[in-house]
Amino acid sequence: MAYDVRVNGEHAKIVLSGDVDLQTTSDLKAEITKISGVTQLEIDASSVTYIDSSGVAVLLLARQHCQVNNVNLTLPIISVAVNRVLEIAKLDRILPIGQVIDSATDTGVM
């Protein structure tokens, strides 16, 4: 997994790509908990090809971090792979998901 964290004023954005799994999530958890002084956190998971339970745990950590710190969390674009896992876990109901795309073809799927 690759990720990029950008903070611009009160807006933070995390762009995830590749596999979000146990081998790659510990650094990401640390990055999320370091984010402060923002009012908006956006997580772009449109290029994620695989996510396991530890990756889902990171998304839930981000949600909890945002709730505690009064930050608005959004997942404006997620891949079909991420959506599938979130739907199975029924977490699509509590995470603020925008558009679901097929990262292989970049076409909107809803």
Side-chain angles (χ1 to χ4, degrees):
M1 170 190 73
Y3 66 87
D4 182 31
V5 179
R6 295 178 225 143
V7 178
N8 183 6
E10 294 187 348
H11 184 263
K13 182 174 185 176
I14 300 173
V15 179
L16 304 174
S17 61
D19 292 353
V20 181
D21 57 21
L22 185 59
Q23 296 176 348
T24 57
T25 53
S26 62
D27 290 341
L28 182 56
K29 285 180 191 178
E31 289 291 331
I32 289 170
T33 57
K34 287 193 303 189
I35 294 172
S36 64
V38 299
T39 59
Q40 174 77 27
L41 173 58
E42 176 182 323
I43 300 177
D44 179 340
S46 61
S47 297
V48 173
T49 52
Y50 172 81
I51 188 168
D52 70 3
S53 60
S54 63
V56 171
V58 166
L59 295 178
L60 293 175
L61 171 77
R63 179 179 182 262
Q64 181 181 23
H65 178 75
C66 287
Q67 286 177 328
V68 167
N69 294 287
N70 200 28
V71 174
N72 184 37
L73 172 68
T74 60
L75 285 81
I77 306 172
I78 65 172
S79 67
V80 169
V82 172
N83 190 58
R84 224 177 269 127
V85 172
L86 295 178
E87 281 183 342
I88 290 168
K90 301 202 182 318
L91 296 174
D92 56 324
R93 299 175 186 171
I94 65 166
L95 290 170
I97 299 167
Q99 184 180 14
V100 178
I101 65 162
D102 183 341
S103 57
T105 61
D106 285 335
T107 58
V109 177
M110 283 303 243

